[in-house]
Amino acid sequence: MRGEVVRMELGGQGFGAMRLRERDDDPDPDRDPVAVIHAALDAGISLVDTADAYRNEELVGRAVRSRRDELVLASKFGLVWHGDVAGDFDVRADPAYVREAAEASLRRLGVDVIDLYYLHHRSETTPIEDTVAAMAELVDRGVVRALGLSNVTAEDLRRAHAVHPITALQERWSLLERDIERELVPAAADLGVTIVAHSPTDHGLLHRNPDSGAVVDIARAHDVTPGQVALAWVHHRNRAHDVEVVPLPGTTSVHHLHANVATQDLELTDEELRALNTLGG
């Protein structure tokens, strides 16, 4: 294995920029995408996460340019979209594309280095060892500081980590989506890999329509929203699994950003956690 594990201060909660878009047609300052990112940084969030597939790297780069030293900037590569149809993409993870994608992201972000660079999705054709070896070359060149994986298996994670230390694993984890707990969480804990939990409220579903009286009752007891309870549950996963967990909610609203940040201070009781744990199986 080449290199050493890079320990990054990812903070207690990150900010997922997937949904941010230019909003010239919306004068509402609460939904100004640059203001949302600045509000996250003002609130002490240090991890700002995007991807070339989100098609907003220029926006994110512009938003963080004057505050570059305040954050861990993360991006991803590997998804090649065909039009705008959801799920209509190929995965490219060959070494030549790794280099091509990184150069393009650096240019769009307007930075000299990406702090945390992820493979966005496992490839069925390129061995993950080849992909990670090419990503490790980016670290050697000084244009990437640390490596991450997303949408992979536990075996992928172990094989990748044997080539170069993997700092972070970004996977979906929420009250309603807990498949990660079977194999990936134990593998990450064993290897000392931080889990960045995206979609912690199931893309807002648990904000809008929680399918459980337990979530609603707990929210009422704490005078918060069901979505905040769901996000707080993810914050508590580090205790349950002895692994570092950084929830990665995303929003297009400053007001909602502040509500997400507040969940870091929401302490759920053992009884409440047991009730919530029954929801996902």
Side-chain angles (χ1 to χ4, degrees):
M1 181 172 69
R2 61 196 289 187
E4 299 178 354
V5 176
V6 176
R7 300 298 180 189
M8 310 193 83
E9 294 297 328
L10 301 182
Q13 185 178 119
F15 174 74
M18 180 177 72
R19 295 169 56 204
L20 290 188
R21 297 291 183 273
E22 301 284 1
R23 302 187 66 91
D24 294 336
D25 60 338
D26 188 348
D28 183 357
D30 185 61
R31 294 191 173 275
D32 174 13
V34 174
V36 173
I37 291 177
H38 284 194
L41 298 176
D42 290 342
I45 286 178
S46 58
L47 173 63
V48 175
D49 178 275
T50 186
D52 57 6
Y54 301 163
R55 300 174 179 174
N56 65 4
E57 286 179 311
E58 294 94 339
L59 168 61
V60 172
R62 187 175 72 250
V64 304
R65 192 155 298 142
S66 64
R67 307 180 66 171
R68 181 65 182 91
D69 59 351
E70 298 179 42
L71 73 148
V72 172
L73 181 59
S75 194
K76 312 178 199 70
F77 77 95
L79 300 188
V80 181
W81 289 95
H82 302 294
D84 295 317
V85 180
D88 188 14
F89 61 84
D90 292 327
V91 174
R92 278 201 63 184
D94 56 279
Y97 189 73
V98 171
R99 293 185 285 270
E100 176 186 334
E103 292 297 337
S105 285
L106 287 163
R107 184 174 62 254
R108 285 189 293 264
L109 290 164
V111 298
D112 296 324
V113 60
I114 297 170
D115 298 312
L116 179 56
Y117 199 45
Y118 290 93
L119 170 64
H120 205 153
H121 198 290
R122 73 186 308 273
S123 170
E124 297 291 345
T125 58
T126 302
I128 200 160
E129 291 88 349
D130 294 352
T131 304
V132 174
M135 295 170 71
E137 291 176 4
L138 301 175
V139 177
D140 294 341
R141 287 172 48 200
V143 297
V144 166
R145 288 182 58 208
L147 305 184
L149 300 176
S150 184
N151 297 300
V152 296
T153 67
E155 181 186 359
D156 292 332
L157 176 59
R158 293 186 184 279
R159 288 167 53 194
H161 195 79
V163 176
H164 187 281
I166 301 301
T167 293
L169 173 70
Q170 186 173 145
E171 298 288 340
R172 187 170 179 173
W173 201 359
S174 74
L175 273 172
L176 302 181
E177 183 60 57
R178 297 177 59 182
D179 287 349
I180 185 177
E181 295 176 13
R182 296 192 184 102
E183 297 182 354
L184 272 170
V185 170
D190 183 45
L191 298 172
V193 176
T194 297
I195 296 178
V196 177
H198 77 77
S199 308
T201 63
D202 274 272
H203 298 291
L205 176 64
L206 289 164
H207 281 291
R208 298 187 300 271
N209 185 32
D211 190 24
S212 168
V215 178
V216 174
D217 290 345
I218 293 169
R220 287 173 179 161
H222 289 273
D223 193 24
V224 297
T225 68
Q228 285 176 300
V229 170
L231 183 51
W233 177 87
V234 179
H235 274 288
H236 285 71
R237 292 299 83 199
N238 55 355
R239 283 189 217 164
H241 296 279
D242 194 27
V243 65
E244 184 176 0
V245 180
V246 180
L248 188 73
T251 181
T252 59
S253 161
V254 172
H255 175 77
H256 194 185
L257 181 281
H258 289 152
N260 287 341
V261 172
T263 63
Q264 296 179 95
D265 299 320
L266 178 54
E267 287 291 331
L268 301 176
T269 67
D270 290 343
E271 182 179 356
E272 289 169 337
L273 288 170
R274 282 193 293 269
L276 293 171
N277 287 343
T278 64
L279 303 181

